[in-house]
Amino acid sequence: MTEPVLSLSNVSRSFGPIEVLHGVSMALRPGRVHALIGENGAGKSTTMKIIAGYQPPSSGSVHVEGRETAFASMGEAEALGISLIHQEFNLAEQLTAEQNIFLGQELKRGLLLDKRAMREKTHELLDRLDCRVPTDRVVSQMSNSDKQMVEIAKALLRDTRVLIMDEPTAVLTKSETAVLMRQVRALRDKGTAVLFTSHKLDEVREIADDLTIMRDGSVVFSGPAEGMDEHAMATAMVGREMSDLFPPKTGSFGDMALEVRGLTVPGFAEDINFTLRRGEILGIAGLIGSGRTETFEGLCGLRSASGEVRIKGQPVTIRHPWEALDLGMCYLTEDRKTRGLLLQKGMRENLTLQALHSFARGLIDKGAEETALTKAIAEFDIRGSRGVRVGNLSGGNQQKLLFAKTMLSNPDIVIIDEPTRGIDIGTKQQMYGFIRGLADQGRAIVVISSEMQEVIGLADRVLVMRQGRIAGEVQGASLTEDAIVQLAMGVGQRAPVLETAQ
Amino acid sequence: MTVKPQARPKVSMSVIGPIAALIVLIVMGALMNPNFLGVDNISNVLSRSAFIGIIAVGMTFVITAGGLDLSVGSMAAFVAGLMILVMNAALPSLGVGVPIILLGMATALVAGLVAGWLNGFLITVLGIEAFIVTLGSMGIYRSLVTWLADGGTLSLDFGLRTFYQPVFYGGILGVSWPIIVFAVVVIVGEIAMRSSVFGRHCAAIGSNDQVAKYSSVRVGRVRMATYVILGLLVGVATIMYVPRLGSASSSTGVLWELEAIAAVIIGGTLLKGGFGRVWGTVIGVLILTLIGNILNLTDFVSPYLNGAIQGLIIVLAVVLQRESKPGV
């Protein structure tokens, strides 16, 4: 086996009195893809930040090519060829692809920028990545997958020897993931050491050469990935045997809860028709950009939309989100960090924000809020100290809090967009249990998801969207990955590359 | 675990900072001039603080909700001018008496409300940046009052002025009206910020208006309310201000907006929104007024350096409140 290009030996890290990493050792080797997996809060992010020089270890050492190194800054790590691609991206939103890729390394001719050379190089890099985004498109107008490609192009330009990716596929669809995987393999074959985290164990099995599994701040497995199947990984991560991921489907539905006819969201979705009964979980599948999110945002008054909507048989008009809420319908966003939670605020303020009026008789009853929080923490198993800022909670706990917040206003119809994006398998299982539990209480549920397994495992019936329309419906025995993919792609056609900016 | 260290010392610093600064100023003032802690001087400082203070309480809500209002100083001048014109015009028919004072007050409140609503309308309905809108309305009101006064001064009729003066100089049990009104506004404001749905919604919107929108908060209505309330409070401040001098000119209320904003920031409200505290604003106002007062009472430093010292304090306050960015 080749010598490691970068290795951690016995690295610990404390924040104040709390030690979050305990004696972590691992090695990244050139020409190998190394997957780092673990539940949320297992210490993956901290480990990656130490590798990338964002944070120093409290004890233990980092070796680059056998030499002990203490990065004074991330700039130093970058100079040694170590690049970290954040889950939330680190791009200047108002600059173009080209400007971002060359940020800090602009090519010059004399005193002025050599725009032509930069554009050509950008073209070349993006072509290598199969990315068709124009070089002069500003980042804020790009889809997540394009942003990812720009990040990778940026790393490519910098002759990266160690590429670290924090959940690169969390926001990508299957076809986009395939492109990314191809690129990762190409980088590996050129001798780059790649480290990535993912909650999608099938991807890990597909691409990882080496594997490190963390639990509660310690490494529980580190070695070649060969022979580790998804079940073994999940068991190691969680520390106990994993039972069935999805709760059983009941298949018994109540009255009609929601009827939608001819719903049109200008620019995103057209002529959407569906019905939903109490106790039913309706899955919505489709590629990113197929108008799934926008359709339901339109339905809930978060975007302008037109069409005929009946709730419990009564025709209704919804132009604002609070009108939807008053009618007992609520949309739970896919984007918990920028649309779901106030990251600077504590759990209490976040939990009660949507249902605040029910805590106020003139003034807000903070005691009642605290009681509600205690109840939510117990009911949804939210971990983390009560006083902590929500931004410092792990993704899984944020998602649970968002879920608790939505349920506090007691909606009858709950639309959940990407319920498990970026959360670990143990928490996923819990979320699925919660969602099925809501349906069993007689609520009507819509689950929008890019994860095929999730839609299939959770939903009673699945609508597949394509290019802003409903391409078809599958249920029962015909609810298979194949059927969904065919509808999502358009049968017999080449996969459409429809990427609308989000 | 991704729990980051809690910035406990920093948080308490932002609470203690303004209070400590105020105490230092009071001690300094007391050492430099024995009259400083006399009833007359304290009453004087509080009355002077009242105008800016009442406006600054409204500004606290605007800033907490992620907005800004640069127009309040000009708005106060315009409202004062309008109030004087209306009262003078009604004098022949109503005569000197309570009704004409009430008419004047109503004029000030309605004018403030409409002016605040206009700012709010342009910002929330048409979606123009608060900075731009209020920079524009600042110029418009300043110019209107100059035009109304024909470049000079609008003066309240002498008899009326004498009758109206107790609203500034009078009071209950030796506490003047401006101080009483200021106190009431502060108490109501503090409670609203701390424990009302409105206050919580302001903080949520200032923190992240997308989150607020997706949480079914009526973002537009809350934002609009902050500007309307601020306008109304400008009207209240003007009601207290007009009897003091009995006149309005193009130089009335100059730089009030900046003093109000400075007071809010010194008090620990975040300029980018999301967190505000009314009691902090009161301390901010007192700090700004005391600096001027101390410079006037002592000949240690020239009073002409008032602005420089205020400026230093503002910058210092923001530096002390700066939070350490998390490791990312």
Side-chain angles (χ1 to χ4, degrees):
Chain A
M1 203 174 259
T2 49
E3 278 305 298
V5 56
L6 190 151
S7 64
L8 299 182
S9 59
N10 209 18
V11 162
S12 298
R13 169 78 201 183
S14 305
F15 290 115
I18 309 162
E19 189 175 273
V20 296
L21 284 188
H22 324 290
V24 169
S25 301
M26 60 187 289
L28 306 182
R29 298 169 203 281
R32 310 266 298 174
V33 176
H34 195 128
L36 176 62
I37 61 174
E39 295 197 85
N40 288 314
K44 297 175 309 240
S45 306
T46 313
T47 306
M48 280 191 294
K49 283 177 191 160
I50 289 173
I51 293 176
Y54 283 44
Q55 284 170 356
S58 304
S59 67
S61 55
V62 183
H63 295 265
V64 177
E65 300 199 315
R67 250 176 307 139
E68 186 167 342
T69 315
F71 302 125
S73 68
M74 43 186 272
E76 268 180 42
E78 214 176 275
L80 285 171
I82 302 167
S83 294
L84 169 63
I85 299 180
H86 290 269
Q87 197 179 343
E88 271 94 44
F89 304 130
N90 215 353
L91 298 170
E93 290 274 320
Q94 298 306 323
L95 297 186
T96 63
E98 175 192 321
Q99 288 165 333
N100 264 291
I101 289 171
F102 282 90
L103 193 61
Q105 315 223 332
E106 288 83 357
L107 301 181
K108 284 182 202 156
R109 204 162 41 186
L111 282 175
L112 301 176
L113 293 173
D114 188 353
K115 288 193 183 162
R116 222 180 77 183
M118 286 196 281
R119 191 169 317 129
E120 276 165 12
K121 184 74 185 162
T122 304
H123 263 303
E124 185 197 315
L125 290 171
L126 291 178
D127 275 351
R128 251 168 80 186
L129 295 171
D130 264 356
C131 175
R132 289 182 201 85
V133 74
T135 57
D136 57 355
R137 168 88 48 94
V138 287
V139 167
S140 61
Q141 308 274 318
M142 285 182 198
S143 69
N144 278 328
S145 53
D146 286 336
K147 289 183 190 174
Q148 184 99 51
M149 292 304 163
V150 171
E151 280 274 19
I152 295 174
K154 204 170 147 182
L156 287 176
L157 181 72
R158 284 161 175 73
D159 270 337
T160 298
R161 290 189 300 167
V162 179
L163 179 65
I164 307 162
M165 292 188 279
D166 190 0
E167 286 194 42
T169 61
V171 294
L172 302 187
T173 57
K174 234 176 164 110
S175 55
E176 292 162 348
T177 302
V179 174
L180 179 72
M181 290 299 165
R182 203 158 61 235
Q183 290 316 314
V184 168
R185 285 200 189 93
L187 285 171
R188 173 186 67 187
D189 296 344
K190 290 205 185 95
T192 311
V194 179
L195 174 72
F196 79 102
T197 63
S198 175
H199 288 305
K200 299 178 185 170
L201 301 181
D202 50 338
E203 282 168 21
V204 172
R205 204 177 60 150
E206 191 189 318
I207 196 163
D209 304 309
D210 295 317
L211 180 63
T212 296
I213 304 177
M214 294 186 73
R215 187 170 72 228
D216 297 334
S218 302
V219 172
V220 292
F221 174 90
S222 193
E226 217 154 59
M228 287 292 277
D229 65 4
E230 287 150 51
H231 185 78
M233 290 185 223
T235 308
M237 275 165 61
V238 182
R240 58 184 155 83
E241 271 296 312
M242 289 296 298
S243 51
D244 275 344
L245 194 53
F246 297 99
K249 300 181 186 182
T250 49
S252 62
F253 311 134
D255 301 337
M256 192 60 82
L258 176 67
E259 294 157 85
V260 174
R261 202 164 303 150
L263 181 74
T264 294
V265 181
F268 295 102
E270 220 175 307
D271 194 25
I272 304 292
N273 303 289
F274 69 92
T275 59
L276 178 64
R277 290 180 174 279
R278 287 169 158 276
E280 186 181 20
I281 300 180
L282 176 65
I284 308 289
L287 301 175
I288 289 178
S290 61
R292 298 170 308 179
T293 295
E294 291 80 4
T295 300
F296 286 91
E297 286 187 348
L299 178 64
C300 290
L302 289 151
R303 288 176 187 274
S304 56
S306 61
E308 207 179 304
V309 179
R310 285 166 185 269
I311 289 181
K312 292 174 199 154
Q314 299 299 314
V316 295
T317 317
I318 300 168
R319 271 173 319 226
H320 298 287
W322 57 86
E323 291 173 350
L325 193 64
D326 287 345
L327 292 163
M329 181 163 70
C330 191
Y331 168 81
L332 207 155
T333 176
E334 60 177 330
D335 192 347
R336 60 176 170 258
K337 288 190 190 226
T338 65
R339 289 175 178 167
L341 296 170
L342 299 170
L343 301 181
Q344 301 299 318
K345 301 279 177 192
M347 286 203 230
R348 177 171 56 89
E349 287 98 322
N350 272 290
L351 178 69
T352 57
L353 183 58
Q354 183 146 303
L356 198 54
H357 284 284
S358 64
F359 288 90
R361 264 190 219 101
L363 299 178
I364 297 170
D365 181 351
K366 285 184 185 141
E369 284 189 285
E370 290 291 351
T371 313
L373 179 57
T374 307
K375 208 173 139 228
I377 287 174
E379 191 180 342
F380 295 101
D381 186 33
I382 303 169
R383 294 170 210 174
S385 74
R386 290 175 81 106
V388 76
R389 281 184 187 176
V390 165
N392 290 342
L393 289 176
S394 70
N397 284 316
Q398 288 180 351
Q399 188 69 18
K400 287 178 184 172
L401 181 65
L402 180 59
F403 205 73
K405 165 187 162 182
T406 311
M407 293 321 298
L408 202 58
S409 44
N410 200 20
D412 293 326
I413 304 168
V414 194
I415 297 152
I416 312 171
D417 201 347
E418 301 288 1
T420 64
R421 174 176 287 173
I423 68 180
D424 62 73
I425 190 146
T427 311
K428 267 186 186 173
Q429 192 185 20
Q430 283 182 313
M431 291 297 301
Y432 298 145
F434 297 147
I435 293 171
R436 180 50 77 182
L438 295 180
D440 291 346
Q441 289 165 16
R443 296 177 212 267
I445 315 283
V446 175
V447 171
I448 306 170
S449 177
S450 299
E451 279 188 53
M452 215 75 82
Q453 294 295 337
E454 183 167 292
V455 197
I456 294 169
L458 196 57
D460 297 305
R461 184 162 59 98
V462 175
L463 296 179
V464 184
M465 287 191 68
R466 179 171 164 264
Q467 298 184 340
R469 288 171 179 276
I470 291 184
E473 181 181 317
V474 278
Q475 57 181 315
S478 58
L479 181 46
T480 61
E481 221 166 295
D482 263 358
I484 293 177
V485 170
Q486 283 182 7
L487 286 169
M489 301 291 192
V491 188
Q493 293 176 19
R494 208 175 152 269
V497 188
L498 176 78
E499 296 298 352
T500 332
Q502 291 198 326
Chain B
M1 291 283 279
T2 46
V3 177
K4 294 191 179 98
Q6 285 300 288
R8 280 285 163 224
K10 291 270 179 189
V11 170
S12 52
M13 186 63 217
S14 85
V15 174
I16 294 168
I19 300 175
L22 184 64
I23 291 171
V24 167
L25 277 176
I26 291 173
V27 171
M28 271 171 56
L31 291 177
M32 286 176 187
N33 191 318
N35 294 329
F36 180 76
L37 287 178
V39 175
D40 283 349
N41 190 51
I42 290 178
S43 176
N44 171 36
V45 166
L46 289 176
S47 301
R48 279 167 167 275
S49 303
F51 309 125
I52 300 286
I54 291 169
I55 293 171
V57 169
M59 189 70 84
T60 310
F61 285 89
V62 169
I63 291 179
T64 301
L68 193 68
D69 193 340
L70 296 171
S71 70
V72 288
S74 308
M75 198 193 286
F78 172 67
V79 172
L82 200 65
M83 191 177 163
I84 290 168
L85 278 181
V86 168
M87 286 167 87
N88 282 347
L91 188 59
S93 50
L94 288 177
V96 175
V98 175
I100 196 166
I101 302 296
L102 291 179
L103 174 71
M105 290 179 171
T107 306
L109 294 179
V110 170
L113 193 131
V114 170
W117 184 87
L118 270 175
N119 278 339
F121 176 82
L122 292 169
I123 292 162
T124 61
V125 180
L126 299 189
I128 309 171
E129 288 269 346
F131 186 92
I132 305 297
V133 168
T134 58
L135 190 65
S137 51
M138 172 170 103
I140 292 170
Y141 295 133
R142 181 64 61 201
S143 158
L144 281 179
V145 73
T146 314
W147 174 67
L148 287 179
D150 205 10
T153 302
L154 288 163
S155 293
L156 197 58
D157 176 82
F158 186 76
L160 254 179
R161 194 189 309 181
T162 320
F163 185 76
Y164 192 8
Q165 257 172 0
V167 171
F168 180 76
Y169 293 99
I172 311 174
L173 300 172
V175 184
S176 73
W177 283 114
I179 300 176
I180 295 168
V181 173
F182 182 29
V184 169
V185 168
V186 165
I187 290 166
V188 172
E190 175 67 23
I191 293 173
M193 183 63 91
R194 238 176 225 280
S195 306
S196 77
V197 172
F198 173 67
R200 187 72 70 77
H201 280 175
C202 284
I205 291 168
S207 201
N208 184 333
D209 59 353
Q210 284 293 313
V211 172
K213 176 183 162 192
Y214 277 78
S215 304
S216 310
V217 173
R218 302 186 182 202
V219 176
R221 202 163 80 164
V222 173
R223 275 223 172 100
M224 171 69 94
T226 60
Y227 289 100
V228 171
I229 290 170
L230 177 54
L232 207 58
L233 288 175
V234 168
V236 172
T238 312
I239 289 173
M240 301 289 133
Y241 178 79
V242 165
R244 184 176 168 218
L245 296 176
S247 66
S249 71
S250 60
S251 61
T252 302
V254 167
L255 292 184
W256 279 15
E257 63 282 339
L258 292 186
E259 275 196 49
I261 293 169
V264 172
I265 301 310
I266 291 172
T269 297
L270 295 178
L271 183 57
K272 65 177 174 12
F275 174 78
R277 51 178 182 227
V278 171
W279 67 262
T281 299
V282 176
I283 292 188
V285 172
L286 292 179
I287 287 175
L288 290 179
T289 317
L290 276 181
I291 294 170
N293 182 248
I294 290 173
L295 294 184
N296 278 329
L297 288 180
T298 58
D299 41 15
F300 194 58
V301 181
S302 160
Y304 294 133
L305 284 174
N306 188 357
I309 293 174
Q310 287 186 347
L312 267 177
I313 298 259
I314 294 165
V315 174
L316 202 64
V318 175
V319 170
L320 287 177
Q321 285 160 13
R322 207 166 37 170
E323 288 173 64
S324 58
K325 287 250 170 173
V328 184

